[in-house]
Amino acid sequence: MNLPLKKVASHAMVHGHCHQKAFDVFSPVETVLKLIPDLKVEPIESSCCGMAGSFGYAADTIDVSLAMGELSLLPTVRKASADTLIVADGTSCRHQIHDGTGRDAIHVARVLAMSLR
């Protein structure tokens, strides 16, 4: 397939949303990202980000939410170089990543849009 896509970065780390994993639709996200020229796509081995909608913001559940994020997702994102794209389709996931690391994760659609410009 020859799509009019241009390089946007050299490396992207991708966090799968729980629903993507549960319904086995995370691999198509990886496949689509691999269509972008010269982009190394690396899935982040993680469980749920821990945010789960407003769960991560409630006073009685925030500690559990952060502990879930700290299992693997947040430390992995912190270790990523500044020029690595962090991709996460879940709104809650993107908030958890930002709140826990200071990094902005972007939706796969935004990565594709960047590649079309």
Side-chain angles (χ1 to χ4, degrees), residues 38-61:
D38 305 317
L39 183 63
K40 177 187 173 202
V41 178
E42 180 182 354
I44 298 172
E45 295 298 325
S46 59
S47 61
C48 176
C49 72
M51 183 57 77
S54 63
F55 178 85
Y57 289 122
D60 60 334
T61 55

Side-chain angles (χ1 to χ4, degrees), residues 57-113:
Y57 289 122
D60 60 334
T61 55
I62 190 169
D63 291 337
V64 173
S65 171
L66 292 172
M68 289 175 71
E70 291 296 343
L71 289 174
S72 60
L73 174 61
L74 299 179
T76 301
V77 171
R78 284 188 204 106
K79 290 177 190 172
S81 66
D83 60 346
T84 296
L85 292 178
I86 306 299
V87 181
D89 288 350
T91 301
S92 298
C93 303
R94 291 193 303 273
H95 281 274
Q96 182 79 316
I97 290 168
H98 179 77
D99 293 348
T101 69
R103 295 283 302 264
D104 288 324
I106 58 177
H107 193 282
V108 65
R110 287 192 53 213
V111 179
L112 291 170

Side-chain angles (χ1 to χ4, degrees), residues 10-56:
S10 297
H11 187 213
M13 298 183 77
V14 187
H15 170 69
H17 187 282
C18 289
H19 286 103
Q20 288 174 317
K21 293 174 187 174
F23 291 102
D24 196 27
V25 293
F26 179 59
S27 61
V29 172
E30 293 177 87
T31 300
V32 166
L33 286 171
K34 289 177 181 177
L35 295 173
I36 298 172
D38 305 317
L39 183 63
K40 177 187 173 202
V41 178
E42 180 182 354
I44 298 172
E45 295 298 325
S46 59
S47 61
C48 176
C49 72
M51 183 57 77
S54 63
F55 178 85

